[in-house]
Every structure is written in C-alpha cells, then in structure tokens.
Amino acid sequence: MSSYWQPILPYNAVCCRYSEIGTKGRNRGVFIRHMNEGLERCLNGAFGKPHFDVERGRVYLYPENEGMELTSEQVDALRREIPALPGIASVSPGWRCKATLADLEEYIWRTFPVVYEAFIKVFPPDQRRYAMRVNRCDKRFPMCSRDIEMHFAERILAEHPDLKLDLKTPTLKICVDLRPSGIFVDYERIAGAGGLPAGSGGTALALLSGGIDSPVACYEMIRRGTYVDFITFHSSPYTPEAGLTKICDIARVLNHFQHRGRVVAVNLLPLQKAIRDNCEEKFRTVHYRRNMMRLASIVANYFGSEALVTGDNLGQVASQTLTNMRVIEDACPMMILRPLLVYDKLDIIAVAEKIGTFPISQIQVPDSCTVFAPVGPTTHANLGAVRADEAKLDLPVLLRECLKQTTIMSTLNYAAHPFTELQEVPLPL
Ligand code: ATP
Ligand code: MG
C-alpha cells in the first residue's frame, strides 16, 4: 500500500518492522541501535527521550511523556526518509492505547472518516477494497481476532457501501496489534529500503569523489550492512577547498544510513606533478588511479577495512574499460568492490535522488582527476608498458609525500586534522 495518499492522523507511537535476516546474535543490538538512531533523526526530538519496546521482529517507539504526538513535519520526515533506511522492512506511525475495545473504537471512529476521505480521492470505486488485520499477541484479550475484525467490518461496510471486503489485496487496511502492553493501531505502512542492517556486513573504505556514482556505490554497500569509511583525493591548491566541503556534505548524507563513517582527504598533487613530468601523457589517468588505490589501501589497512569500494561503471569513461580496470587493480593489494559495475546511469541517478546525494553531486567543482588531464587518455593500457613507465617514479618518496598531506575531516564543520599516524605505516610496494 502506497503511503503517499495517507492523511496525517494523531500518532503517539511508531512501529518499526525489521527483517530478521542479519539481525541474529551480536548484530541485533548494533542494528537496533542504528535503527533507533535513524528513527530519532527523522523524529528530531519528537518524543523527548523516547523509549523503545523491542519485540521479536519489531521495535515500538513511544514518547517520554504520555500525550505527546508526532507533528506533521515528523510524519513527513518518516515518509521521506524511511524508504532509504537499510535493513528496515517497514515503519508505521500509529496510535497506542489501552488494551480495551472501547479505546480501540474511540481511535478508529475518530480517524476512519479522515482516512476514508483521503482514500476516495485517490482510489476509484472499483479499487476500494477494505480489510482489517488483527494480530492478537495478548491472548488474554476477551475477543478473538476474527471477532474484532467482524465487529469493525460490520459497521464500516454498512456505512460505506462502496467498500468491498478483500482480505488478500486491500487498498485500505487497518492493522491492529494486541499486545500485553497495549493496543497499537495503524493504517499505513511505509516500506523501508530492505537490504541488511547497518554494521552487520564487515567494513570497507570507499573512494568517494564528488560525482554521482561513488556516493551511490557507498550507499549500496551500506544497504548490504557494510560499514563504510570514505577517502577522497584532491590536488590542492589546483583544486578548490569547495571540493572538500562538497565531499563532507555527501558523507554527511551517507552517514544518515550508518554510524559516522570517517572522511580522509589525501593530496595527490605531489604524485600528479611527478607523473606529469616523467610519464607518458596517455597513461596519466591510469597512473593516478593506480596510486589512488595504493594510498587507499594504506588507509584501509590502518582502519582495518576489509575492502575498497569504487563507483566504477563499465565503459563509462576511459579508466573504466575492463582492460584499464585490470591495469589499475594490478597496483592494489586489496579486494576492490564495484557495486555499480553493470548499473545503467539512469538507475544510478534514481538512487542518488532517493538518498539525497544527487543535488550535491550536481554542483560543479573541479576534480582531482582533471588536473593535468591528458588530451587522449588510453582506453586499453598495456600493463607491461604502464609498469615500465611507472618505474621512472620514485614511488616510496612520492607516496610518503602524499601521506604527509593527508587529513581526517569533520563532516560537521569541515575542520581538517593531520592524519599523522599514517607516516609510520608500511607502503604496499
Ligand atoms: P563518480 O561519479 O563516482 O565520480 P565517475 O563516473 O566520474 O564516477 P571516474 O572519475 O572514472 O568515474 O571515477 C571512478 C571511481 O574512482 C569513482 O567512482 C570513485 O570511486 C573513484 N574516484 C575518482 N576520482 C576520485 C577522487 N578524486 N577521490 C576519490 N575517489 C575518486
Ligand atoms: Mg568522477
């Protein structure tokens, strides 16, 4: 059921259903913490210090003080943000009341007319299919599920002859959960992003550029439960400061979906100058990339990341032919993951829009790769020739020079702190 036609009702609780997959054992606590953080962010303090009621397969969130309700902005935020939250099956804003039929009736008779009015604006008469689904977890409740469903159906169907009872494919559905702690009732199910809970699938370091692709690649990894840190390459002073603030802005959006990925910024300029002055022009881009991979793997090793992630997309640009990817990978001692390898550009853009990175990526800032960019980059570099060309460089010195100019950035205030620990680490040569 699409939630977009749903009106805003009085809501004093939120029910969050998560996929059980990947939430077993130790992961469960971590996941529930991430999910709670995601919910709290959407609700932005709505519930004071909310309390969570964790039951099998779901988390209920209740306000600190009885009587607090969600504002329409908070409900909008849930509808907007939940569809991108990893590991979540669905979320329902709803109403929690005492476990009595009178309390349930009071809420339903108060809200049903509002829901019905919005419903008939969107669904033509031949699509008006009604159902109530009661889940009676509290067997002490005096009526059984079917009796409750029939009790409400009788009156609702009598008063709205255009509604047809349809338990299989209802377009208007009331869900009632009878729990020992009270009743939870909702009309709406906001579908989550699926995937696996944040933090349940290992750790990776992603090469994040200001383009459209790499933020989506990061999101796809996060959606499968991988915790992602970020590394970006700039060519200061040839590339502007704005490039780095843009990366921090993108990382902040991505951190919506996980717990605080770190942002590392490396100045590639010392290497780029040496490559410009010593190597063949047509290999420049490939040389840049090989060294990005080396530097990224140094940082990844330091963080304990298990893999590198890129936004590579087969055939998109010169460096993304199979031949060149192979030549680039040759310099990398770590596993490289390319979640977007076979995506269509339009699909990548659709995800970028859904998660909110697209408008930031659209801001044009010169990228590190364009500094001294060759006129005719090769699309089919010969590995032997590239290695021979690279032998002209004093890599240990150049890599150390780049590491000296490496910082960790705050996504909140863009402050850059020297990453001095990297100066001692071994080089992957
Ligand atoms: P994107 O939209 O992600 O920038 P792109 O289509 O522009 O991708 P390339 O510029 O060839 O493709 O980059 C391929 C991948 O290499 C990027 O997705 C990213 O993972 C990595 N990359 C490229 N430039 C940088 C950079 N300056 N800093 C960090 N990673 C980079
Ligand atoms: Mg790019």
Side-chain angles (χ1 to χ4, degrees):
M1 181 158 59
S2 157
S3 54
Y4 296 107
W5 63 269
Q6 294 272 356
I8 302 242
L9 302 173
Y11 305 112
N12 65 1
V14 178
C15 170
C16 190
R17 302 166 199 89
Y18 55 90
S19 104
E20 285 282 352
I21 310 164
T23 58
K24 305 248 175 348
R26 275 187 303 148
N27 287 335
R28 193 152 173 255
V30 176
F31 166 56
I32 287 173
R33 196 186 77 223
H34 287 313
M35 195 168 72
N36 291 354
E37 279 169 6
L39 281 171
E40 280 187 48
R41 203 181 45 249
C42 293
L43 299 171
N44 197 13
F47 284 171
K49 240 184 155 47
H51 64 268
F52 294 94
D53 197 356
V54 182
E55 305 194 12
R56 209 192 312 163
R58 50 194 76 179
V59 173
Y60 288 91
L61 185 143
Y62 306 122
E64 183 179 20
N65 302 321
E66 235 177 286
M68 271 185 180
E69 288 182 17
L70 296 189
T71 65
S72 57
E73 288 78 31
Q74 285 146 359
V75 180
D76 286 343
L78 284 179
R79 289 176 181 165
R80 193 177 56 240
E81 292 192 23
I82 293 300
L85 225 56
I88 290 194
S90 69
V91 164
S92 297
W95 189 257
R96 188 195 186 222
C97 52
K98 286 200 214 87
T100 71
L101 185 63
D103 283 279
L104 182 59
E105 283 191 312
E106 196 277 325
Y107 185 70
I108 289 183
W109 300 141
R110 177 154 59 103
T111 50
F112 190 84
V114 184
V115 175
Y116 180 76
E117 200 182 297
F119 173 72
I120 57 174
K121 284 194 189 128
V122 176
F123 292 88
D126 63 334
Q127 291 177 25
R128 294 182 189 161
R129 303 187 294 266
Y130 163 85
M132 175 183 270
R133 183 90 9 105
V134 176
N135 178 19
R136 185 163 160 261
C137 313
D138 182 7
K139 303 295 180 212
R140 292 169 307 177
F141 198 83
M143 291 164 82
C144 73
S145 312
R146 226 182 113 60
D147 288 350
I148 301 170
E149 286 163 7
M150 278 170 31
H151 172 79
F152 284 95
E154 251 169 46
R155 174 159 158 192
I156 285 175
L157 296 176
E159 288 180 3
H160 308 90
D162 56 329
L163 282 177
K164 300 271 167 301
L165 190 66
D166 183 340
L167 300 180
K168 286 219 177 87
T169 56
T171 46
L172 172 53
K173 185 164 149 190
I174 310 178
C175 289
V176 177
D177 247 337
L178 293 174
R179 321 208 136 242
S181 54
I183 290 177
F184 182 82
V185 48
D186 72 76
Y187 291 90
E188 176 176 5
R189 223 163 245 237
I190 306 167
L196 294 172
S200 67
T203 61
L205 179 68
L207 284 83
L208 184 60
S209 71
I212 296 167
D213 303 329
S214 46
V216 173
C218 295
Y219 173 73
E220 293 297 358
M221 292 307 299
I222 295 170
R223 207 174 75 90
R224 292 310 294 177
T226 302
Y227 169 81
V228 176
D229 287 308
F230 312 103
I231 185 166
T232 192
F233 296 91
H234 61 93
S235 314
S236 180
Y238 287 74
T239 51
E241 197 65 24
L244 289 178
T245 56
K246 181 179 169 185
I247 293 296
C248 288
D249 291 341
I250 292 175
R252 201 168 48 241
V253 172
L254 291 167
N255 280 344
H256 255 55
F257 310 113
Q258 65 165 4
H259 191 68
R260 285 194 220 139
R262 294 162 282 189
V263 178
V264 177
V266 185
N267 192 348
L268 200 63
L269 193 65
L271 263 161
Q272 288 178 301
K273 278 185 173 163
I275 291 167
R276 176 195 61 188
D277 297 340
N278 297 289
C279 299
E280 279 196 51
E281 182 174 338
K282 65 175 183 189
F283 289 154
R284 250 179 227 170
T285 314
V286 174
H287 285 313
Y288 289 179
R289 281 297 147 77
R290 284 169 63 92
N291 288 295
M292 282 187 186
M293 290 302 172
R294 288 191 177 108
L295 289 160
S297 61
I298 293 171
V299 176
N301 259 330
Y302 182 79
F303 281 163
S305 322
E306 295 165 89
L308 299 179
V309 177
T310 73
D312 285 326
N313 186 234
L314 190 55
Q316 204 184 83
V317 291
S319 61
Q320 299 177 15
T321 61
L322 281 185
T323 314
N324 282 358
M325 277 192 257
R326 168 75 191 91
V327 172
I328 292 163
E329 201 168 86
D330 170 69
C332 183
M334 288 192 78
M335 173 162 68
I336 303 174
L337 304 175
R338 302 179 177 88
L340 307 187
L341 191 69
V342 295
Y343 273 47
D344 282 341
K345 191 75 187 183
L346 288 180
D347 295 335
I348 297 175
I349 292 174
V351 178
E353 279 176 332
K354 178 174 99 169
I355 63 176
T357 53
F358 189 67
I360 312 174
S361 295
Q362 287 291 78
I363 301 166
Q364 294 301 319
V365 183
D367 184 78
S368 182
C369 300
T370 59
V371 172
F372 321 131
V375 185
T378 177
T379 51
H380 291 88
N382 177 283
L383 181 55
V386 169
R387 282 182 178 166
D389 197 37
E390 194 179 67
K392 298 173 198 159
L393 301 172
D394 188 350
L395 281 182
V397 168
L398 292 167
L399 290 171
R400 287 268 174 232
E401 192 54 43
C402 293
L403 291 175
K404 256 187 230 160
Q405 299 185 40
T406 298
T407 56
I408 292 210
M409 298 198 66
S410 157
T411 56
L412 298 176
N413 60 12
Y414 312 118
H417 304 282
F419 199 159
T420 45
E421 296 87 338
L422 288 181
Q423 279 157 45
E424 305 300 320
V425 299
L427 298 176
L429 292 170

